[in-house]
Each structure stands twice: as C-alpha cells, then as structure tokens.
Amino acid sequence: MCGIIGYIGNRQASPILLDGLRRLEYRGYDSAGMALQNGKDLQVLRRAGRIDNLALLVAEKKPQSHAGISHTRWATHGAPTDENAHPHRDQSGKLALVHNGVIENYQTLRDALKLDGHLFTSETDTEVLAHLVGKYYDESSDADPVQRLISAVQSALVRVKGTYGIAVIHTEAPEVMVGARLGSPLVVGLGEGEHFLASDVSAIVAHTKDVIYLNDYDVVTITKSGFDVKHLEGGIAKVLVSRVDFTEEDAEMGDFPHFMLKEIYEQPQSIQNALRGRLSRDEATAVLGGLQMSPQELRGIDRIILAGCGTAYHAAMVGEYLIETLARVPTEVEIASEFRYRNVPTDKNTLQFVVSQSGETIDTLAALREAKRKGIKVLGIVNNVASTIARETDGGIYIHAGPEIGVAATKSFTSQVAVMTLLSLLLGRIRNMSSTDGLELIEEMEAIPDKITAILKQADHIKEIANKYAHVEGMLFMGRQMNYPVAMEGALKMKEISYIYASGHPSAELKHGVIALVKPELPSVFIAPHDAVFEKNISNIEEVKARKGPVIAVATEGHPGIEKVADDVIYIPRCPSVLSPLLTVIPLQLLSYYVAVARGCDVDKPRNLAKSVTVE
Ligand code: F6R
C-alpha cells in the first residue's frame, strides 16, 4: 500500500523516479509526487490521480536533479488531492519526506506542533512527521547537517506510534538521503556510484539486483557512493546484502493487456514452480525442508490453525479441507484480522500457518505476532521471500509464484493451494495415508499444470459467457466442500474488479435464505465438478432454474447431463476432488476478468484498492 522510491547518484533523478513509481503504481494510485534536490532548494511536484498526471507535470517543469524522493499514494488520512499527495515539507520548506504506513498519534503531535507555531497545509499524518523531523533538525546545535538530519529522524521516530517506511531529504545535506522503517517495508538498492531506497524491489530491479532489506527500527543513510545502517536508538544494525531472484521482465506485462491476465496464464508454470523439488516418488510424500520440523515433531501436532486475509484466507479454507481429508489433523481457518483480537485456545501441540502472498499484510502480520506471543509455533506460506512475515515466522513454505502485480490475486491462490496440498500429503504420509494413495496424489498433482493449460484454451468461450452477463446487477457463486471456498474466491474476484455485487455460498445454503434473491437478472455460478456432491449441486441448480435464475456451471468434462439444466457450462478436465479447486478457480478468474473488461473497468487497478494492505 503506497510506494516509495528514492534515488541519489550521477544520473537524472526524475526519469528513474517516474519509472519506479510506474512499477509501484499497483501499491496505490490516487496521487503521486516527487521532491528533488536542485542545488539551492527543493523542487516538489505533486498531482492527484495516476502517475501519468505527475509525468505531465514533470515534462512541463523539466527538473534537473541527481537526487530525489517520490511516492505513489493510497489515501489513509485526507482525500486524494494535490495538497495531500506526498512528499510533504517541514515548516522551513527545506526538508521533504515521503511515508508509507500510519502515524497513529499524529493528532497529538500535530496539536503540540501547532502550539509551537507550525502551520499545516494538508490533512495527512505524513506532514506532521515531516514537521516533527524538521523541528528536531532546526533545534539541533550539531554543526554537521548530515548528522543533524540523522539525529532529527531518530528523535522524531521515537515519538511516533504506528508504522512507517520513510525517505527524507534536506537542502542543507544534499549529499544524503535518510530512510527508516517500522512495520512498512523499505529496501536499499546498491548501485555503482548510485544508491536507491524503495518500498519494493520491483521499483529498482531494472537498476540493481543487490539489495538490503531493512529491518524494523533500522535507520539508513545513503549517498552516491555508500550506505550506513544504524538502529533507531543508536548502535550498529545487522546488514545483509541479498540478490534479487527475479528480473525486470518478470514484473512487466509483456504482450498481455493486463497483469491479471498474464498472471492467470502463468499458473501452469507457477504451480510447477511450487511443486519443483518437493515431490518424492520414492517415499510417496512431499519434501518440505523449510518447515524445519522433524517427522516426530510433525506427528506431535494435534491441531492446525491457518490464518490469512482475502484470497489468502480462501486458499486457507481449501487448506482446511485438504489437511483434514488427507492427514486427519483437526484444522481451523481464521481471518487474520479477527484472530488477533480473539483469544483462540491453543496448546503446545498447536501449529499455526499464516498465509500471505505479499508477506506484508498488516492484519496477517499481527496474527503472526499474537500467536507467537502465546508461544505457538508459527510457519509461513508466503510468496515474497524478503517480506516481514517470511522473516518473522519460524520457517515455512515459499510458494515461488514470482511477482504478482495485478491487484486481484490469481496465481498466488493456486500456488498457495498447491503448497497446502503438499503439506497435507506430508502430514498424511506420516500418519495414515498409504504409499499407493500418496503416489497416486503425486501423479495427479504433476498433471495439474497441463490441465490448467487446457482450461486456458477455453478463454474465448468464457469471454462469450462473460459478455452475455457483463451488465447484470449481481451474481451468486455456489459450491460445496472444497469448492465452497472457490465460490467465495470467485465472488471476491467478480466484486473487486468488475464492481458487480457478488457473494459466495455453500450450495445447500441456498434454500436457507439466499434463494430469495434469485431472479432472471441475477445469474448464479455453480461450481459443480463430478464429485460426491455433484447430484446435490444439480438439485440446487434445478431450484434456481425453477425460479428463472440463469445458471453458469463449472463442471467436469465427460459427465454429460449438466448442460440440460445450466444455461452455460465451462468444462474442466477430470481430477481427484481434493485437487479440483486448482482447476475450478481458473474459469472463475477468467470470467471475472472478461466481465470487468466488458464493463470498461481498470482491471489491474480497481477503485479504492491497492496491492498489499499494510494498514489495519
Ligand atoms: C484479492 C486480494 C486480497 C489479498 C489480501 C491478502 O484479490 O488480492 O484479498 O488476497 O489482501 O493479501 P496477502 O496475500 O498479500 O496477504
């Protein structure tokens, strides 16, 4: 949520900052801005709206500068206006600051600063932080402006309650840029004669692959030629240089019109990446070294809790069915934001997993910290290897899906489910699953990528269905067992990118209330693969048809009959029912994508949303 990029070096800063902001735009897109050192004062350029608006201003002003900070915003405090856009200046106008996160005590700080004569021009918490740093800078008697700036940042941040990733510049210390983080990611990019600060490596991967992921309470100073990391309250900080494992192209759209479509089509590959090296045919099991738990320890687990938000929560719901079906371990799923405020009973044999694509979702992070506080062992199912959640868990399973840029999660869902299938296989094999069943599951899992490819070939058919229903006022999604979470995921996809109201339900719940909504203008999507509840799903479809509700069905090929009751059918290849969510979700992703396109929606940047939700 929100994106930061800062540059200091020998090149012109503004094109680098603009390019970085475009790569970060999925993090927030309601306003953008940059502040540039120009030798005497700061040039601050800000615009409400998309990065293109800022780009026009930059083209008009032609700033000349080799150092600057920039930001793309997802509004928390104050409407998306030019005035509320970052960077914000201090009282003197010589300091500029960009900020991701939320300053919870900003009102108290603002009132105190006002009493000191500070005047504010925006409604943001960030401007308060800029003034606070500026106040400490102005009050300092240190003759060295660089030291003054670093100490001012430290003094201000110890007074702050909340979360931040910041970058700060000052006209009196033009050779440095100061950054700091607490709960909001910040990374240092190391170049030849140039350095970067960014909230996300995708902003800087075109320039360098050598990075330092800062830890909470780190304060970093970068210059053209070097960097220095200190702890917020003084003392040395631990520094580890990492190599980014994806390329600039991985985070680009290529020939696809949208990131979402590209990521839907990447799923045969991303699932292969999730499975690679983790299936042992000899032992008929999964090999998950990242769990860092012996078979004895895993056998001692008598309860599993899975926590996540949004799509990750839906994947966790599938995980609950998988673990209980294949491994017979009692499992519960928790919405991460609820878990942290509940007092869920646990004991020493409880194992918790937090599921998160970004690894930065604040609610999921808070659930992780709450569980650890209670002494529970917490493992991660995470995509972003350098993320806070990845670093704070006691181990886990990376999903290796590659960068997911589309705001609507797609490939991360299937990779999370694939990884939870591996986990269930491993847990099952050390309990009561036979090697024959284990091997059969392995073979079926290996066949999934090709089956997804076969579904993707039906994109034109799905597009036709999407066009037919694109202008409805709402949609219901129905599924049973493992496909109930898929129904919820299908509804979430439809809502977030097409703005059609949609809800997901267990099919049998229809007659307990939802059926009151059924009418010709409200289609129902039934996920009805050929499984133990297929006939029940057919009965539910009949109930909808009897009330003149249109029905789109996702069904298994080779089982004729459903086309007699449903108006439109999308077929998936046969697979064991435990693996069906990996296939049934694909038509729903495509359906929501094509409905959104038909409605003229901005698929990759849906209104009011942003990727990676780092505020509560
Ligand atoms: C939906 C979506 C969100 C995320 C949720 C959790 O398409 O993208 O619901 O799934 O914000 O995000 P992560 O997985 O990054 O924790």
Side-chain angles (χ1 to χ4, degrees):
M1 225 160 216
C2 303
I4 290 175
I5 171 168
Y7 172 78
I8 188 161
N10 295 316
R11 294 191 276 162
Q12 281 296 332
S14 61
I16 294 172
L17 299 182
L18 266 183
D19 176 67
L21 288 179
R22 287 192 197 284
R23 291 172 189 276
L24 291 177
E25 203 176 6
Y26 69 119
R27 297 272 174 182
Y29 30 85
D30 60 40
S31 55
M34 61 176 70
L36 300 144
Q37 297 273 14
N38 67 9
K40 23 183 220 312
D41 50 20
L42 292 176
Q43 189 168 12
V44 178
L45 306 173
R46 303 183 297 178
R47 274 289 180 267
R50 298 287 166 91
I51 310 289
D52 283 345
N53 297 357
L54 177 67
L56 289 175
L57 187 63
V58 171
E60 183 193 321
K61 301 285 179 191
K62 299 187 179 46
Q64 299 298 307
S65 167
H66 300 110
I69 55 177
S70 62
H71 188 266
T72 176
R73 179 170 185 248
W74 185 88
T76 56
H77 295 69
T81 58
D82 288 358
E83 295 69 37
N84 288 336
H86 301 208
H88 288 282
R89 281 191 253 215
D90 72 336
Q91 182 74 9
S92 73
K94 294 180 184 172
L95 176 147
L97 180 148
V98 288
H99 165 228
N100 286 355
V102 173
I103 309 298
E104 289 166 8
N105 58 337
Y106 86 103
Q107 199 60 56
T108 319
L109 295 170
R110 187 179 162 114
D111 292 346
L113 286 163
K114 272 184 164 174
L115 288 177
D116 277 355
H118 286 249
L119 298 173
F120 294 94
T121 57
S122 80
E123 303 149 86
T124 64
D125 52 345
T126 304
E127 191 185 12
V128 174
L129 186 54
H131 277 241
L132 194 62
V133 179
K135 167 188 145 75
Y136 285 113
Y137 182 92
D138 293 340
E139 287 172 2
S140 167
S141 54
D142 199 321
D144 176 3
V146 173
Q147 273 316 312
R148 263 169 94 173
L149 184 58
I150 298 168
S151 311
V153 168
Q154 290 172 317
S155 305
L157 292 180
V158 291
R159 288 189 61 192
V160 156
K161 287 200 181 71
T163 55
Y164 54 79
I166 59 167
V168 193
I169 52 176
H170 198 292
T171 53
E172 291 172 7
E175 69 279 21
V176 299
M177 185 177 293
V178 179
R181 73 156 275 174
L182 176 62
S184 205
L186 200 63
V187 55
V188 182
L190 313 177
E192 290 283 319
E194 58 187 14
H195 284 83
F196 305 81
L197 279 180
S199 51
D200 182 330
V201 280
S202 59
I204 54 174
V205 73
H207 308 290
T208 179
K209 295 213 163 30
D210 295 319
V211 299
I212 299 164
Y213 296 101
L214 295 176
N215 293 308
D216 278 351
Y217 302 106
D218 281 352
V219 177
V220 64
T221 310
I222 59 168
T223 63
K224 266 190 336 192
S225 52
F227 66 88
D228 181 45
V229 190
K230 289 196 165 52
H231 189 272
L232 177 61
E233 292 179 27
I236 304 296
K238 245 207 305 201
V239 170
L240 183 71
V241 177
S242 311
R243 187 98 186 135
V244 178
D245 66 353
F246 64 88
T247 64
E248 196 185 339
E249 291 77 37
D250 288 336
E252 285 172 356
M253 265 190 300
D255 293 334
F256 286 91
H258 296 102
F259 277 110
M260 183 182 177
L261 192 63
K262 176 188 179 228
E263 288 156 8
I264 291 174
Y265 272 82
E266 278 174 351
Q267 290 175 104
Q269 189 59 52
S270 52
I271 290 192
Q272 257 162 24
N273 293 346
L275 302 184
R276 182 164 302 119
R278 289 169 165 173
L279 289 171
S280 162
R281 282 173 166 268
D282 287 350
E283 311 270 327
T285 190
V287 182
L288 298 172
L291 297 179
Q292 296 176 40
M293 289 179 78
S294 67
Q296 286 83 340
E297 285 171 311
L298 286 171
R299 229 173 267 124
I301 298 302
D302 57 21
R303 180 156 170 255
I304 291 178
I305 298 175
L306 304 168
C309 300
T311 292
Y313 169 70
H314 298 154
M317 287 174 74
V318 178
E320 177 185 25
Y321 281 97
L322 282 166
I323 297 170
E324 292 193 342
T325 307
L326 297 173
R328 315 284 310 134
V329 182
T331 302
E332 276 159 54
V333 192
E334 298 280 343
I335 293 178
S337 55
E338 289 297 309
F339 175 85
R340 79 167 290 199
Y341 292 108
R342 284 182 58 206
N343 197 6
V344 175
T346 55
D347 66 27
K348 61 182 183 355
N349 298 327
T350 304
L351 178 63
Q352 176 152 344
F353 283 87
V354 283
V355 187
S356 173
Q357 186 284 127
S358 62
E360 299 294 348
T361 301
I362 198 82
D363 292 320
T364 312
L365 182 60
L368 151 64
R369 289 177 177 162
E370 178 63 16
K372 287 190 89 169
R373 202 171 290 124
K374 292 190 169 140
I376 310 174
K377 188 174 178 82
V378 189
L379 303 177
I381 294 178
V382 172
N383 193 27
N384 182 356
V385 284
S387 60
T388 312
I389 291 179
R391 285 187 285 168
E392 290 198 15
T393 40
D394 304 311
I397 319 171
Y398 286 121
I399 65 170
H400 296 310
E404 189 179 66
I405 311 282
V407 167
T410 51
K411 63 176 177 172
S412 60
F413 176 84
T414 44
S415 295
Q416 286 158 353
V417 171
V419 152
M420 282 187 270
T421 316
L422 291 173
L423 176 67
S424 312
L425 170 63
L426 171 65
L427 294 174
R429 287 287 292 128
I430 57 173
R431 288 179 162 78
N432 53 6
M433 187 192 286
S434 71
S435 64
T436 320
D437 288 348
L439 201 54
E440 204 174 302
L441 187 63
I442 288 176
E443 281 168 5
E444 291 289 356
M445 287 176 77
E446 286 174 334
I448 289 291
D450 285 346
K451 292 183 181 180
I452 293 180
T453 304
I455 300 171
L456 294 172
K457 288 192 177 138
Q458 299 178 59
D460 285 345
H461 171 54
I462 298 170
K463 188 175 177 180
E464 272 171 34
I465 299 173
N467 289 340
K468 180 170 161 189
Y469 296 102
H471 299 290
V472 296
E473 59 189 57
M475 275 195 199
L476 299 174
F477 286 76
M478 305 285 172
R480 295 192 73 157
Q481 301 284 294
M482 303 234 173
N483 284 297
Y484 161 46
V486 176
M488 293 184 64
E489 176 60 8
L492 177 62
K493 289 289 90 85
M494 190 58 74
K495 273 185 283 221
E496 65 182 336
I497 60 167
S498 75
Y499 318 140
I500 291 179
Y501 185 78
S503 56
H505 307 271
S507 313
E509 279 292 294
L510 192 63
K511 54 196 173 295
H512 298 288
V514 188
I515 201 161
L517 294 170
V518 170
K519 58 180 178 177
E521 298 77 29
L522 186 103
S524 297
V525 180
F526 274 84
I527 303 137
H530 201 84
D531 57 14
V533 288
F534 176 70
E535 305 299 340
K536 308 277 178 210
N537 263 319
I538 294 289
S539 304
N540 298 139
I541 294 176
E542 301 271 17
E543 286 153 18
V544 170
K545 288 306 301 172
R547 287 154 185 87
K548 299 194 169 33
V551 170
I552 305 164
V554 175
T556 310
E557 65 190 9
H559 287 283
I562 198 160
E563 70 285 352
K564 293 197 186 86
V565 281
D567 298 270
D568 296 280
V569 185
I570 306 163
Y571 288 103
I572 59 158
R574 290 163 190 248
C575 76
S577 57
V578 287
L579 299 184
S580 65
L582 291 168
L583 301 186
T584 51
V585 76
I586 310 288
L588 304 190
Q589 295 170 345
L590 285 170
L591 185 69
S592 61
Y593 172 78
Y594 286 120
V595 166
V597 170
R599 290 166 69 93
C601 299
D602 191 344
V603 174
D604 282 336
K605 298 186 190 72
R607 71 179 175 219
N608 306 337
L609 292 175
K611 195 88 174 160
S612 180
V613 183
T614 50
V615 293
E616 265 197 77

